């Protein structure tokens, strides 16, 4: 009986194999029945080039017998599979990578010899990787977190890596604190949670004991850490660098990326729900934009300043917890970056790309920022453990696109085959071996250093609260309320009361009103004392450039509109909204109870892009609800439809409705306001969809 069964199974399998193999005489690639026939399939081979005749069955001593050690094909395949993973990045493990180019539009020849910054019109290929910081490689795209913004420029003078973030300041001043910061932020070591979240005891414990973090805390509690899209973030090199011109003169520089689509964030409740609806929300958004040819673009800008100017700043520019307000040193736009090519392979490119702040080109040099100095060591070191070899620069995504040559040899996974007997310098035996280039090679700035050696924090780094206060006071009232509410949320997840109190104590130095709002949100009956400040808080001019709302562009370009329909909806109304939104630059997706489509009022079937339960309104910037009376009645009984409109309203989005849509709103207990418009008035819908209905917020949630 057993024997019979086995034979029948073997025959079935053989049949399958024959069907797919009949397309050509080569062995099949997948061997499945659904595999497409036809085409020129290359032979499936082992890594030694041996054609494989059967990729479905391992070699056995008899049909039901044990597998044989002799099966070198099985062993090769399984061994390779067993080793597919490499250590993920300690921080910034989760990311999206895209190829693109940089084009210089204004020369910095007066300041630097770096050709990428002097040859106007020159296009330099690049690879950009945008990441979250705290979560593992498989974590969600939309936690409250800083975004890494790393760009590898493949310049004619060698690779230049600008490894920045989407906020311009950092938590700590000295690299020696980085392991502590990251250990506090990551999941707690005994319990293994939370994944990618700052809302837990160890993070806030560390922060409450680290006053220098307060400025960055204001940034991470703002909606900057809840980006709507990776295409809508700013980027900052954070540290001061130096530019060096051909006379050897040095000018300090800060680097900035400014998104052409403008800065845009989600709000907290929305971000939480997006995490559930689509864990890959940002990666998918970027992929779909690139696939559709909507290439994201950033302006590249610099802030340039001399040592004398720096000496007059009311803060130390070598301290990475400080920024230079644009009002003090204006941004000069000198180029643009366009991302236009998705990688062929996620692992080979996005995972294996190795950024190092030490990768600079002649004409660019480092400042003494102690955080930057530590980074110059860390990144090369981390690549060795991640990628396993000093030869990681030979991996295609890391290799310079200009010629490079030296006398370094051998090592794990050496791919090159350097010819000749000379592997040293100087030598007199070879007339074409690489030599130093004294004039054009990289040179460090000649700076005079003086002072006492020691483990010392400069006095000029002691002001921990002034820029935190400046940031908070520069925000709109809506953004201030979001910051206060974020602090209440985060600290409410902290079990240790003394940590909550210590944090509110720090907030008192930043702004008493903020401290009061947070204390009240946490239900304190008494205001905690403020800790002693190392320096009195300085009054600084408000900097509107620090807002998000002020920078949201008056456009639908890059945004997404969702239209909820059902059987019986009016096709003409749907079409008008679709046209108005796409004409204004948005992408449109139609959502219905069934993914197969909806039968419209005129009897035609309309194909749809998403099924209601799997396509909530959090995935869109604005929505339209077009329903017949019957459709509205049916959807009034669907919690997914009720959530669709309630969430759109509570996330302050524009909603266009026809009569049926209005009925659904009523069933969902959603009121009409200026952001709820008639579906027939597409102009009004487009205007409302370009912004959020900020005034609505106080009606839908209690903010701190
Ligand atoms: Fe990083 N950081 N970092 N960092 N960082 C890494 O390098 C480190 C800092 C940033 O897409 C690691 O390749 C130290 C500031 C980005 O691959 C590691 C210090 C800024 C990325 C490392 C800092 C950053 C990293 C982990 C304090 C903004 C992702 C994997 C001195 C200017 C790059 C890796 C990518 C990655 C160390 C602080 C940005 C461990 C020691 C400040 C965007 O080497």
């Amino acid at each position: 009986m057993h024997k019979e069964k086995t034979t029948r199974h073997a025959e079935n399998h053989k049949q399958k194999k024959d069907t797919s193999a009949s397309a050509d005489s080569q062995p099949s690639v997948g061997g499945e029945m659904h595999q497409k026939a036809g085409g020129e399939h290359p032979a499936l081979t082992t890594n030694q080039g041996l054609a494989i005749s059967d990729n479905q069955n391992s070699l056995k001593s008899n049909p039901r017998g044990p597998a044989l050690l002799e099966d070198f094909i099985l062993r090769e395949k399984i061994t390779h599979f067993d080793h597919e993973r490499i250590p993920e990045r300690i921080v910034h493990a989760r990311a999206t990578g895209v190829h693109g180019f940089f084009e210089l539009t204004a020369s910095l020849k007066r300041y630097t010899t770096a050709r990428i910054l002097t040859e106007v019109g020159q296009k330099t290929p690049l690879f950009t990787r945008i990441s979250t910081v705290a979560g593992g490689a498989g974590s969600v795209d939309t936690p409250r977190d800083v975004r890494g913004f790393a760009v590898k420029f493949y310049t004619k003078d060698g690779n230049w890596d600008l490894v920045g973030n989407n906020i311009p300041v950092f938590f700590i001043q000295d690299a020696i604190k980085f392991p502590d910061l990251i250990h506090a932020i990551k999941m707690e070591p005994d319990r293994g949670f939370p994944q990618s979240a700052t809302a837990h005891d160890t993070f806030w414990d560390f922060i409450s004991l680290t006053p220098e973090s307060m400025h960055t805390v204001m940034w991470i509690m703002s909606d900057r850490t809840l980006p709507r899209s990776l295409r809508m973030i700013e980027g900052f090199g954070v540290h001061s660098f130096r530019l060096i011109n051909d006379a050897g003169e040095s000018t300090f520089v800060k680097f900035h990326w400014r998104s052409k689509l403008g800065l845009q964030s989600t709000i907290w409740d929305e971000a939480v729900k997006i995490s559930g609806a689509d864990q890959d929300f940002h990666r998918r958004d970027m992929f779909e934009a690139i696939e559709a040819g909507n290439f994201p673009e950033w302006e590249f800008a610099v802030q340039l300043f001399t040592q004398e100017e720096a000496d007059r700043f009311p803060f130390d520019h070598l301290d990475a917890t400080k920024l230079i307000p644009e009002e003090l040193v204006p941004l000069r736009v000198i180029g643009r970056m366009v991302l236009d090519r998705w990688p062929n392979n996620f692992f080979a490119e996005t995972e294996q790309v190795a950024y190092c702040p030490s990768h600079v080109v002649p004409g660019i040099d480092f400042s003494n920022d102690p955080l930057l100095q530590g980074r110059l060591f860390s990144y090369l070191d981390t690549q060795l453990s991640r990628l396993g070899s000093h030869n990681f620069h030979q991996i295609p995504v890391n290799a310079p696109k200009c010629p490079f040559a030296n006398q370094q040899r051998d090592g794990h996974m050496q791919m090159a085959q350097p010819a000749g007997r000379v592997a040293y310098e100087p030598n007199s035996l070879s007339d074409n071996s690489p030599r130093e280039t004294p004039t054009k090679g990289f040179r460090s700035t000649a700076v005079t250093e003086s002072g006492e050696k020691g483990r010392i924090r400069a006095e000029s780094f002691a002001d921990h609260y002034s820029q935190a206060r400046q940031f908070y006071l520069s925000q709109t009232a809506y953004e201030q309320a979001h910051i206060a509410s974020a602090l209440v949320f985060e600290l409410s997840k902290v079990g240790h009361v003394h940590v909550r109190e210590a944090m509110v104590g720090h907030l008192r130095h930043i702004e008493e009103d903020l401290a009061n709002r947070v204390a009240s949100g946490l239900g304190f009956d008494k205001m905690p004392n403020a800790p002693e400040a190392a320096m009195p808080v300085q009054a600084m001019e408000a900097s509107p450039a620090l807002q998000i709302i002020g920078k949201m562009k008056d456009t639908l370009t890059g945004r997404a509109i969702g239209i909820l329909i059902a059987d019986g909806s009016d096709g003409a109304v749907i079409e008008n909204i679709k046209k108005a939104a796409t004409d204004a630059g948005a992408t449109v997706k139609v959502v219905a109870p069934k993914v197969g489509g909806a039968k419209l009022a005129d009897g035609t079937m309309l194909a749809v892009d998403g099924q209601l339960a799997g396509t909530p309104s959090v995935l869109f910037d604005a929505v339209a609800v077009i329903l017949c009376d019957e459709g509205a009645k049916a959807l009034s009984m669907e919690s997914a439809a009720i959530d669709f409109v309630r969430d759109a309203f509570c996330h302050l989005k524009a909603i266009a409705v026809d009569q049926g849509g209005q009925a659904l709103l009523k069933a969902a207990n959603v009121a009409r306001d200026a952001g709820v418009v008639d579906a027939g008035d597409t102009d009004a819908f487009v205007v409302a969809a370009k912004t959020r209905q900020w005034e609505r917020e106080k009606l839908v949630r209690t903010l701190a």
Side-chain angles (χ1 to χ4, degrees), residues 52 76 85 103-104 222 229 265 302 330 338 348 418 452 464 466 503 584 684:
I52 294 171
E76 183 200 77
R85 295 288 172 272
E103 184 181 2
L104 190 72
S222 81
S229 159
S265 291
V302 290
V338 178
E452 256 178 42
H464 303 319
S466 304
M503 272 314 302

Side-chain angles (χ1 to χ4, degrees), residues 406-649:
N406 57 41
Q407 313 290 12
Q408 295 168 26
R409 290 290 184 272
D410 309 341
H412 194 62
M413 291 291 164
Q414 173 60 260
M415 302 288 158
Q417 297 164 15
R421 69 198 292 193
V422 166
Y424 55 90
E425 190 276 344
N427 72 72
S428 64
L429 304 190
S430 157
D431 50 15
N432 62 1
S433 60
R435 299 281 166 92
E436 307 164 335
T437 319
T439 47
K440 293 205 165 143
F442 174 78
R443 297 175 80 102
S444 299
T445 327
V447 275
T448 309
E449 299 292 350
S450 64
E452 256 178 42
K453 172 179 166 185
R455 296 185 181 277
I456 301 160
R457 197 72 67 95
E459 274 296 307
S460 54
F461 281 37
D463 181 356
H464 303 319
Y465 300 107
S466 304
Q467 285 206 349
R469 177 176 170 78
Q470 178 186 38
F471 180 80
Y472 181 72
L473 294 179
S474 299
Q475 306 299 310
T476 61
Y478 309 116
E479 289 164 302
Q480 288 181 344
H482 288 185
I483 293 171
S485 303
L487 281 158
V488 171
F489 173 85
E490 296 266 320
L491 294 174
S492 72
K493 297 276 180 181
V494 171
H496 292 83
V497 176
H498 75 273
V499 174
R500 290 187 214 152
E501 288 172 349
M503 272 314 302
V504 174
H506 286 295
L507 299 180
R508 297 189 66 181
H509 285 305
I510 297 173
E511 165 58 36
E512 198 65 43
D513 176 53
L514 172 64
N516 281 329
R517 291 161 85 162
V518 176
S520 150
L522 290 170
F524 283 8
D525 50 11
K526 172 165 140 275
M527 196 59 158
N529 290 332
E532 204 178 315
M535 257 185 75
V537 182
Q538 308 177 61
M540 292 187 164
E541 293 258 313
S543 168
L546 304 179
Q547 294 173 8
I548 304 171
I549 291 183
K551 286 178 160 177
M552 189 169 173
K553 286 221 167 136
D554 188 25
T555 177
L556 278 197
T557 307
R559 311 238 179 105
I561 306 292
I563 309 180
L564 175 59
I565 66 160
D567 286 347
S569 293
D570 186 331
V573 180
I574 298 169
E575 199 39 52
N576 281 345
I577 293 206
K578 213 171 170 177
K579 185 168 179 326
T582 39
D583 286 354
T587 53
V588 176
K589 284 190 178 162
V590 179
V591 180
K594 291 187 183 157
V595 76
K599 196 170 192 180
L600 301 178
D602 64 4
T604 56
M605 277 303 281
L606 182 68
V608 301
D609 307 288
Q611 194 246 343
L612 174 58
T615 320
S617 64
V618 290
L619 303 178
F620 304 111
D621 294 283
V623 299
V625 187
I626 311 300
L627 300 170
C628 68
D629 293 347
E630 279 304 300
K633 220 160 146 193
L635 289 194
S636 300
M637 310 297 292
E638 283 295 343
S639 67
I642 299 290
D643 288 348
F644 192 95
V645 291
R646 270 207 70 76
D647 276 345
F649 191 79

Side-chain angles (χ1 to χ4, degrees), residues 89 92 129 163-165 175 178 355 371 375 378-379 382-383:
R89 288 165 176 79
H92 299 269
R129 186 175 179 278
V163 197
N165 278 341
F178 191 67
Y355 296 95
L371 205 61
R375 295 180 73 203
S378 174
Y379 289 66
T382 210
Q383 309 314 343

